[in-house]
Amino acid sequence: MVVLFFVASGAWAQELVKQRVFDEAELLSDSEKDSLQAELDKVSREFDADFIVATKKKLDGVSIQYFANQFFEQHGNKHGSGAIIAISMAERDINFTAFGKIYDQQKRRLDTIRASVGKFMTAQRYHAGFMHFAEQVRPPGFFGKIAIIAGYWQPWIFALVFTAIVVGFLAYNHKGTITVGSSTYAVPGAFELISSEDRYLRTTTTRTKVTSSKSGGGGGGRSSGGSSGKF
Amino acid sequence: MSVKVYNCKKCAAPIAFDIKEQKWKCEYCSSEFAKEEIEEKEASESGMEVDEDLSIKMPELDEYRCNACGAKILTEGNAAATFCIYCRNPSVIKSRFSGEFHPRYVIPFKVTQKDAKDIYFKWIKKRFFAPNEFKTAREVDNIRGLYAPYWLFDCRASGFIEGEGRNSKSWRSGDYRVTETQHYFIRRVGSSAYEKIPVDGSKSLPDELMVGIEPFDYLGLKDFALEYMSGFLAEKYDVDENRASRVMQPRAQQFLRTTLEGSGQRYQSVTISSSNININSIKAAYAMLPIYVLTNLYKGKKHTFIINGQTGKTYGETPFDWQKFIVFTLGLFLTTFLVTATGGAILGIY
């Protein structure tokens, strides 16, 4: 009777709850797995996407990015949205890859999220790190977005330049305007250019590297991108 | 007779130049006179004004007496036209307009004292970083219309500039941005002529403010006549032609340098490494040009403003409100940032 109930409830749970924590490297205790699973379920339902954590003992030569893509297609979904954090203990590789609309929301933060989770991994605080991942993949709210934007230099520089132009314009006329120029007192037609020389000296060339954004094309026509690193 | 008073031909009251009418007007009988009507007829008087030998210095008298009331006229410093402090009669001290001090030109006042004040109040309102209490003060401490002594220089300038001109173009090639700059040695030789570059001939008028009220409209330039001085303050120069010329020459040099830089083949950027410009054929004419000098006290410090008495152009030592500047700058910076960030968040740019 008890056993039956257990099996039945297990089957029921299996149907409704998708496995999202794949701890091959055995970094998490059972209770940690449960709480992580619950948290990932919550965000997955909330944003209609699949969020997955995968730990590996070793990769056997495949790249972590390849592994992460394959693993997500297998255990997450093939056409929808989501994100995966994958680590491999032997290579100390970590990868964060996002798909579909989660990728669109997080594409500028791939490195940031990967690095912030990576710090937890380095400290061997695996559970805290994966919970942090579940928190980080939430699309930022309005103020969250502003906080993220404040982390970029472009709006600060834009504000600085804009302010400098406006303040400069207002302060420029502070004493009045000097309107006398080189032609004010010139006798009209009196200027004579006696000789003019333009001699070619040299050509200098500078090359600066333009960093191109890396975004990998995902399968199934959805956009995706990942960031890999060591921890 | 060293003090000149111009009298109404009808009632003999003293008359002064009226700015609005651009004529001489009698305050008592309201008669108006054109310049020809009040000009001196005596040969000795007019002869003195035209054929003066500039090498002869007129003896400078220490004391002048008002022709109307006989009181002693107090003249400060270089005053050449003034008022009797007792009977307010306009008095022109002739010796301070004769000999080497005889002006060649005059530009009569076009802006009345009341207009000058209004111009100033409007102007100061637009100074964004001036302290508010200074902007809204409806009183000025002191304003006086003054014929300022000016030297008007004609000259020729000739010389060269040398430097480097650069043209750049930039394009993207693979992962690189390539910028190619072509450098050219440039040399421009040329000459030009300048007319009536004004330099004030008074030590008490700060040169940097006087440049700010330029230019005067030389279409209003008239041959000097003492009559114009009647009813105004005027000063004789205390900076002579040679000293004023040393102020004028760097200006003329800069004019030609700028003109040369803009001539011939154009470049995206130019750096001048050397230049040599000679000023020659300098001719100076002494002139009386109309200005208003306005001073306003702020926190115990005197701030001088000069208003062009012909065109109304204003320039001056506007006090700077640093607190306002800092608050405004920070406020604008943060507002711009927040608007940019909010816009970015709404449009999903980041």
Side-chain angles (χ1 to χ4, degrees):
Chain A
M1 174 64 184
V2 173
V3 172
L4 198 73
F5 172 76
F6 211 79
V7 169
S9 72
W12 175 76
Q14 199 77 88
E15 223 177 71
L16 209 77
V17 179
K18 199 168 170 180
Q19 190 187 354
R20 302 188 188 282
V21 181
F22 300 88
D23 186 21
E24 194 202 293
E26 291 168 0
L27 303 172
L28 304 169
S29 70
D30 283 351
S31 65
E32 282 175 344
K33 268 189 226 168
D34 287 347
S35 68
L36 183 58
Q37 170 78 31
E39 190 61 31
L40 290 174
D41 268 341
K42 210 172 100 193
V43 288
S44 297
R45 263 200 314 277
E46 196 175 332
F47 299 107
D48 189 24
D50 285 313
F51 294 100
I52 287 176
V53 169
T55 69
K56 287 280 280 178
K57 282 200 173 98
K58 59 183 197 307
L59 285 167
D60 297 322
V62 288
S63 81
I64 184 108
Q65 180 68 65
Y66 179 79
F67 166 75
N69 284 340
Q70 290 301 310
F71 200 86
F72 186 83
E73 294 211 349
Q74 203 178 334
H75 298 280
N77 59 61
K78 277 198 163 61
H79 305 294
S81 301
I84 179 169
I85 190 100
I87 65 165
S88 174
M89 296 310 285
E91 296 84 358
R92 306 198 73 73
D93 275 338
I94 178 165
N95 175 277
F96 170 74
T97 302
F99 302 85
K101 73 168 194 271
I102 302 298
Y103 168 72
D104 293 336
Q105 285 159 1
Q106 307 287 7
K107 60 186 169 191
R108 286 166 191 278
R109 298 177 64 215
L110 297 176
D111 289 332
T112 318
I113 294 176
R114 190 257 302 149
S116 69
V117 176
K119 271 182 207 149
F120 284 96
M121 301 298 115
T122 312
Q124 301 190 345
R125 295 173 57 210
Y126 302 108
H127 180 252
F130 295 136
M131 292 298 268
H132 178 68
F133 157 75
E135 185 54 39
Q136 286 292 299
V137 290
R138 285 173 176 279
F142 183 72
F143 291 104
K145 277 185 192 164
I146 287 182
I148 290 165
I149 290 170
Y152 296 108
W153 58 268
Q154 288 94 335
W156 293 107
I157 295 296
F158 174 76
L160 192 72
V161 170
F162 182 79
T163 307
I165 290 171
V166 172
V167 170
F169 178 76
L170 291 172
Y172 175 71
N173 282 336
H174 190 64
K175 288 185 149 196
T177 343
I178 303 279
T179 53
V180 172
S182 61
S183 59
T184 310
Y185 300 113
V187 177
F191 175 67
E192 197 188 343
L193 186 62
I194 296 161
S195 77
S196 170
E197 189 187 340
D198 298 87
R199 183 154 40 82
Y200 171 77
L201 291 175
R202 64 188 181 277
T203 300
T204 53
T205 310
T206 57
R207 285 165 180 276
T208 44
K209 192 164 170 79
V210 184
T211 46
S212 52
S213 56
K214 50 178 185 294
S215 72
R222 66 181 168 186
S223 54
S224 74
S227 167
S228 306
K230 299 278 181 188
F231 65 88
Chain B
M1 185 65 56
S2 59
V3 178
K4 186 70 202 161
V5 173
Y6 292 92
N7 297 103
C8 173
K9 300 293 175 202
K10 286 188 179 151
C11 70
I15 50 174
F17 183 71
D18 185 272
I19 295 171
K20 282 218 170 92
E21 305 292 334
Q22 293 285 305
K23 278 183 170 179
W24 284 260
K25 200 171 173 182
C26 173
E27 280 181 47
Y28 299 90
C29 66
S30 300
S31 308
E32 287 179 3
F33 301 96
K35 183 164 165 281
E36 309 77 51
E37 297 175 72
I38 56 162
E39 264 174 352
E40 292 295 328
K41 294 291 181 282
E42 296 103 306
S44 62
E45 295 272 352
S46 55
M48 188 187 78
E49 281 170 27
V50 179
D51 306 311
E52 242 169 354
D53 182 354
L54 296 185
S55 61
I56 297 171
K57 286 194 180 181
M58 288 272 289
E60 181 80 359
L61 300 173
D62 293 321
E63 216 179 81
Y64 305 93
R65 293 206 169 271
C66 173
N67 281 9
C69 69
K72 201 172 122 183
I73 292 176
L74 295 172
T75 57
E76 316 173 340
N78 298 303
T82 185
F83 297 89
C84 170
I85 58 162
Y86 300 100
C87 65
R88 299 299 300 161
N89 247 4
S91 303
V92 179
I93 299 165
K94 264 189 166 177
S95 69
R96 292 190 172 179
F97 281 120
S98 51
E100 57 174 332
F101 295 111
H102 181 71
R104 171 81 184 79
Y105 298 112
V106 62
I107 294 178
F109 270 96
K110 278 266 168 65
V111 176
T112 64
Q113 181 149 321
K114 191 180 160 297
D115 292 343
K117 272 190 191 174
D118 289 345
I119 288 170
Y120 164 76
F121 287 130
K122 269 190 201 135
W123 181 88
I124 195 73
K125 244 184 219 161
K126 290 186 197 151
R127 303 306 108 181
F128 192 82
F129 291 120
N132 284 337
E133 64 265 38
F134 190 84
K135 282 162 78 166
T136 49
R138 286 303 299 166
E139 284 302 310
V140 293
D141 293 319
N142 185 13
I143 182 167
R144 58 199 171 103
L146 175 75
Y147 277 108
Y150 261 96
W151 293 102
L152 304 181
F153 287 100
D154 291 358
C155 69
R156 289 195 61 79
S158 59
F160 70 86
I161 57 165
E162 276 178 6
E164 195 180 85
R166 285 173 299 271
N167 282 334
S168 297
K169 54 181 183 225
S170 178
W171 67 90
R172 177 122 183 220
S173 157
D175 276 352
Y176 289 92
R177 173 142 302 274
V178 184
T179 309
E180 194 183 274
T181 310
Q182 292 182 316
H183 301 253
Y184 290 85
F185 166 79
I186 60 164
R187 183 182 161 88
R188 303 276 183 270
V189 187
S191 70
S192 190
Y194 298 96
E195 240 177 7
K196 298 194 177 64
I197 301 176
V199 176
D200 76 87
S202 169
K203 280 178 195 158
S204 59
L205 299 171
D207 283 345
E208 76 272 14
L209 295 187
M210 300 307 278
V211 172
I213 62 159
E214 289 178 28
F216 286 91
D217 178 6
Y218 289 139
L219 290 175
L221 203 66
K222 291 184 162 49
D223 286 334
F224 179 78
L226 273 179
E227 290 86 339
Y228 288 108
M229 301 296 117
S230 183
F232 294 95
L233 297 170
E235 274 185 19
K236 70 179 174 67
Y237 69 80
D238 57 1
V239 174
D240 67 18
E241 184 183 329
N242 289 331
R243 295 234 323 269
S245 172
R246 288 203 287 274
V247 176
M248 177 281 291
Q249 290 194 30
R251 291 188 71 189
Q253 286 170 339
Q254 188 53 46
F255 291 157
L256 185 61
R257 256 198 296 274
T258 311
T259 309
L260 284 171
E261 219 180 296
S263 64
Q265 176 88 38
R266 303 304 299 266
Y267 294 90
Q268 287 168 355
S269 74
V270 169
T271 327
I272 301 301
S273 54
S274 71
S275 72
N276 187 10
I277 288 168
N278 285 312
I279 306 295
N280 51 48
S281 318
I282 301 173
K283 274 203 327 234
Y286 184 40
M288 287 285 146
L289 304 186
I291 62 167
Y292 285 97
V293 180
L294 186 149
T295 48
N296 240 355
L297 278 176
Y298 179 69
K299 293 191 173 164
K301 199 172 164 283
K302 217 169 81 175
H303 294 268
T304 306
F305 296 84
I306 313 275
I307 299 160
N308 187 316
Q310 183 194 25
T311 64
K313 193 169 182 297
T314 308
Y315 201 81
E317 299 162 328
T318 321
F320 197 84
D321 190 338
W322 282 100
Q323 198 187 333
K324 197 175 184 179
F325 173 79
I326 289 167
V327 168
F328 177 81
T329 306
L330 280 179
L332 181 66
F333 178 73
L334 289 175
T335 311
T336 314
F337 172 76
L338 281 178
V339 168
T340 313
T342 311
I346 290 169
L347 297 173
I349 295 169
Y350 289 102

